[in-house]
Amino acid sequence: MDRRDAVKSVAFLLGGALSATTIGVFLEGCSSSGNKDNKNLFSSHHEKLITEIADIIVPTTSTPGAKAAGVGPWIPMMVKDCYPEDAQKAFVKGLDDLEDRSKKEFNKSFLEMSVKEREQLLGKVRDETVAAQKKERDEIEATRIAEENKIVKKSEKEEAGRPMNAKEAKPSKPYFFAIMRDLTLLGYFTSETGQTKAYAYVDIPGRYDGCVDLKPGQKVWA
């Protein structure tokens, strides 16, 4: 299994933990419909920001973090190769907005901030993203229910040509932090470091055990 296949497998295992934007990317086979002339989508400053943000999301603890796993350079590649243009633009804008907020709230660049300050700012962005996603889901659900009620009130003859209206879903808005979180987790847990350091790993097991009890505090098997 190559790295891209591994990413797809982990994406589906994480399921609901990923944003609708990322799930859509992998359901479509990671074939970007976005800007094809995107070699200069990210500046060197953007790439440094991405590396440091990823290391806040998966920091070094008893195991190496995202930076040690080489997740930083992998994320821009995935955004350019796999995500649609609207998600690419949202991601770059998110990086720029984060840098602007760093200077406004802490009077310094994100790269100059302490780990505690970075965690504080990213915590705000995370909470804002979660709230915006919930609001969007609630609006979509309310629209769906309203459309279903309209169809019920109309005769079958009037709706014969449009039987799927109530099931049509509005595309989810791409959110910078959601994409950043998704790709950090996917990149880390499909890297050699993530598979061999964060998980319990046996290169060539002597036999197959379909069900193995975990001891308290034991790592999940890779």
Side-chain angles (χ1 to χ4, degrees), residues 7-129:
V7 170
K8 290 181 181 179
S9 297
V10 173
F12 286 113
L13 285 174
L14 289 174
L18 299 178
S19 67
T21 301
T22 296
I23 291 174
V25 164
F26 287 100
L27 285 175
E28 294 174 6
C30 194
S31 55
S32 173
S33 58
N35 178 18
K36 303 302 180 181
D37 185 23
N38 58 12
K39 292 182 180 180
N40 299 317
L41 183 64
F42 297 105
S43 67
S44 60
H45 187 71
H46 284 147
E47 292 173 353
K48 291 176 183 177
L49 283 174
I50 290 169
T51 296
E52 297 303 325
I53 296 167
D55 212 52
I56 293 296
I57 295 174
V58 182
T60 297
T61 53
S62 58
T63 57
K67 187 185 293 185
V71 174
W74 182 79
I75 291 175
M77 178 197 71
M78 290 296 292
V79 173
K80 289 191 289 186
D81 289 354
C82 297
Y83 282 74
E85 187 171 4
D86 64 333
Q88 292 175 359
K89 289 180 178 179
F91 193 83
V92 172
K93 185 178 185 302
L95 290 171
D96 292 336
D97 288 346
L98 184 70
E99 181 70 346
D100 289 342
R101 289 184 66 169
S102 300
K103 294 175 180 177
K104 182 178 180 180
E105 297 181 26
F106 295 90
N107 295 315
K108 62 182 84 171
S109 166
F110 186 85
L111 299 178
E112 298 171 335
M113 291 164 59
S114 66
V115 170
K116 186 176 181 179
E117 289 171 335
R118 292 176 181 181
E119 290 174 344
Q120 182 180 340
L121 180 55
L122 285 174
K124 292 180 181 179
V125 177
R126 176 202 59 209
D127 293 344
E128 291 165 1
T129 301

Side-chain angles (χ1 to χ4, degrees), residues 117-146:
E117 289 171 335
R118 292 176 181 181
E119 290 174 344
Q120 182 180 340
L121 180 55
L122 285 174
K124 292 180 181 179
V125 177
R126 176 202 59 209
D127 293 344
E128 291 165 1
T129 301
V130 171
Q133 288 176 315
K134 182 181 184 304
K135 180 180 179 182
E136 181 184 26
R137 288 194 299 269
D138 290 345
E139 290 174 349
I140 291 174
E141 180 64 10
T143 300
R144 183 189 67 79
I145 293 174

